[in-house]
Amino acid sequence: MQLSELSERSGVSVASVKYYLREGLLSPGTPVSARKAEYDEEHLRRLRLVRAMLTVGGMSVAQARDVLAVAEDPAFGRHERLGVAQYMLPPHVTPPAEDAPERDAWNALRGEVLQLLQRELGWRIHDAAPAVDTLTQAISTLRALGYRSSTDVLRHYAEALQPIAEAEYQVIEEFPVMEEAIEAMIAYTLLYEPVLLSLRRLAHEDVSAARLLHAEPTDAPA
Amino acid sequence: MQLSELSERSGVSVASVKYYLREGLLSPGTPVSARKAEYDEEHLRRLRLVRAMLTVGGMSVAQARDVLAVAEDPAFGRHERLGVAQYMLPPHVTPPAEDAPERDAWNALRGEVLQLLQRELGWRIHDAAPAVDTLTQAISTLRALGYRSSTDVLRHYAEALQPIAEAEYQVIEEFPVMEEAIEAMIAYTLLYEPVLLSLRRLAHEDVSAARLLHAEPTDAPA
């Protein structure tokens, strides 16, 4: 197909396709004349992945290039390829500097979080997983505001989320082509985040209605 | 206590306390001299709530004022007071304009979402709940990217999140004073969002490790 058709089928503008070609995120088509090149289904697939990384995933061009390099490197297995892409997704929390006074407290709390997840729950996660930093920061903010927030509370959340993660992973597994699997992982990870968060708020509303509206009869005598 | 102590105990700077006083988010203290006023525990409580709304909750001063007006109005029950505060929390999705071509599709999808939650799951939620718009947008984005995303999928998420919401609501119920309950609701709603999302990503990593690292023996013969 020509560049115009590639643009139409992917929903990515011609200007963006040309930009991705210049940046090396998309490999050149097969030249058919001095000014025209031919593109195939593999270009279309790569274009969808690039779009997912840059627009849905909010990655920089450099980060997208890193993910693609690992995705194409036969030295890495499927787990590592999916993992590198996931680790690049925002948000990225920056821990306090090595010599900052709060660094010791940060390290201790981060250690507690890892202990719970790896040892007690038996999760096979990497020590350096960015999501562990995000967790550490959230608990540390709750404590700074004066709320009790033990790592124990995490256990309940972790247990409730495990079946969700299992089901989601099954969907990603259905994509045998690596680029499609990475694309699906990015889309599912990020686009289902608002789904989780808004359903949680609606569930709060339902629980509140069940407890409070029942306790406040509307036709009580004055 | 004096303004300086109020600032110290709340962790809110003197300049911010004065700003909240000027904006009417905090009621004036009892004058003890021409230049000094006395503040009490109720001021401290209100200050914590104002801080939670503005900094944790990302509300504008006008939105915070609206929440406080409802929080203080005896005509509203506890469910409504908590509800108004929750509805003000970001994010707020803007539906397509009434006359936009995509408005009909939006209305249909939003109707499907409400039908599932209210009728099939029996959730007692308001038709106008902003989280329903967030949900509608997420599903509509997934579909635009070419992913199957039926409202049926929502059912699994909703069922997994219900016990989390129940447990969280119990924590909020433990605060009998309305202002503290609203403050806790804001803090829990927003500060546990990164907890949920990062645990979900770590659970994905664990599921992936369980399925893929097992299937790829490292000592396989060449």
Side-chain angles (χ1 to χ4, degrees):
Chain A
M1 74 191 93
Q2 294 187 11
L3 197 134
S4 56
E5 190 187 339
L6 184 65
S7 159
E8 207 166 295
R9 284 183 60 194
S10 64
V12 176
S13 71
V14 169
S16 295
V17 175
K18 287 183 174 168
Y19 172 63
Y20 300 158
L21 281 165
R22 275 201 307 278
E23 291 291 332
L25 296 177
L26 196 64
S27 62
T30 313
V32 287
S33 76
R35 301 187 52 202
K36 276 190 180 161
E38 189 68 18
Y39 300 89
D40 57 22
E41 294 301 314
E42 217 160 303
H43 285 97
L44 188 61
R45 203 148 57 205
R46 168 62 60 100
L47 199 49
R48 283 181 55 108
L49 173 56
V50 168
R51 182 189 54 177
M53 289 192 289
L54 300 186
T55 63
V56 181
M59 289 182 199
S60 68
V61 166
Q63 286 177 321
R65 240 191 243 111
D66 287 347
V67 171
L68 292 172
V70 175
E72 285 171 339
D73 189 336
F76 293 103
R78 198 171 157 99
H79 177 67
E80 285 76 19
R81 292 172 189 205
L82 284 167
V84 164
Q86 197 225 51
Y87 280 15
M88 294 277 183
L89 297 177
H92 289 109
V93 161
T94 313
E98 286 285 357
D99 54 354
E102 63 272 29
R103 178 67 179 223
D104 284 349
W106 173 274
N107 286 345
L109 183 56
R110 196 181 192 284
E112 266 183 67
V113 171
L114 268 181
Q115 161 85 17
L116 173 83
L117 297 175
Q118 294 175 328
R119 296 285 173 83
E120 296 178 38
L121 295 174
W123 284 12
R124 280 142 293 190
I125 54 170
H126 200 282
D127 279 6
V132 176
D133 294 310
T134 316
L135 265 177
T136 306
Q137 191 185 52
I139 297 173
S140 140
T141 305
L142 277 157
R143 289 185 180 175
L145 286 171
Y147 291 97
R148 273 177 302 134
S149 184
S150 65
T151 49
D152 247 16
V153 179
L154 294 187
R155 182 193 302 272
H156 303 292
Y157 285 94
E159 283 163 356
L161 287 166
Q162 214 154 12
I164 292 186
E166 287 267 1
E168 291 178 326
Y169 194 81
Q170 270 173 30
V171 177
I172 292 161
E173 263 192 339
E174 282 169 23
F175 295 91
V177 178
M178 200 56 226
E179 300 201 341
E180 287 179 353
I182 294 178
E183 184 205 330
M185 190 276 292
I186 294 171
Y188 273 79
T189 300
L190 292 170
L191 296 173
Y192 273 100
E193 290 188 344
V195 170
L196 252 91
L197 300 184
S198 46
L199 280 171
R200 172 174 169 252
R201 291 194 190 179
L202 293 166
H204 282 160
E205 184 175 339
D206 174 54
V207 177
S208 173
R211 307 235 189 154
L212 295 176
L213 296 186
H214 202 67
E216 293 171 17
T218 49
D219 55 354
Chain B
M1 73 190 94
Q2 293 186 9
L3 196 135
S4 55
E5 190 187 338
L6 183 66
S7 159
E8 208 165 296
R9 285 183 60 193
S10 63
V12 175
S13 72
V14 169
S16 295
V17 175
K18 285 183 176 169
Y19 171 62
Y20 300 158
L21 281 165
R22 275 200 308 278
E23 291 291 332
L25 296 177
L26 195 64
S27 62
T30 314
V32 286
S33 77
R35 299 188 53 201
K36 276 189 179 159
E38 189 67 20
Y39 300 89
D40 57 22
E41 295 300 315
E42 215 160 305
H43 286 96
L44 189 61
R45 201 147 60 206
R46 169 61 61 98
L47 199 49
R48 283 181 55 108
L49 174 56
V50 167
R51 183 190 53 178
M53 288 191 290
L54 299 185
T55 63
V56 182
M59 289 182 198
S60 68
V61 166
Q63 286 177 321
R65 237 191 245 114
D66 287 347
V67 171
L68 291 171
V70 176
E72 284 171 338
D73 189 335
F76 292 103
R78 198 172 156 99
H79 177 67
E80 285 76 18
R81 293 174 189 202
L82 284 167
V84 164
Q86 197 226 51
Y87 281 14
M88 294 278 182
L89 298 177
H92 289 109
V93 161
T94 312
E98 287 285 357
D99 54 356
E102 63 273 30
R103 177 68 179 223
D104 284 349
W106 172 275
N107 286 345
L109 182 56
R110 196 181 193 283
E112 265 183 69
V113 171
L114 268 181
Q115 161 87 16
L116 172 83
L117 298 174
Q118 294 176 328
R119 297 283 172 85
E120 295 177 41
L121 296 173
W123 284 14
R124 278 142 297 190
I125 54 169
H126 200 282
D127 280 6
V132 177
D133 293 310
T134 316
L135 265 177
T136 306
Q137 193 185 51
I139 298 173
S140 139
T141 305
L142 277 157
R143 289 185 180 176
L145 285 170
Y147 291 98
R148 273 177 304 134
S149 184
S150 65
T151 49
D152 246 16
V153 178
L154 294 187
R155 182 194 302 271
H156 304 292
Y157 285 94
E159 282 164 355
L161 288 166
Q162 213 154 13
I164 292 185
E166 286 267 0
E168 290 178 326
Y169 194 81
Q170 270 174 27
V171 178
I172 292 160
E173 262 192 340
E174 282 169 22
F175 295 91
V177 178
M178 201 55 227
E179 300 200 342
E180 288 179 353
I182 294 177
E183 184 205 328
M185 189 277 291
I186 294 171
Y188 274 79
T189 300
L190 293 171
L191 296 173
Y192 274 99
E193 290 187 344
V195 170
L196 253 91
L197 300 184
S198 44
L199 281 172
R200 171 174 170 254
R201 291 193 191 179
L202 293 166
H204 283 159
E205 184 174 340
D206 174 53
V207 177
S208 174
R211 308 236 186 153
L212 295 177
L213 297 187
H214 202 67
E216 292 172 17
T218 49
D219 54 352

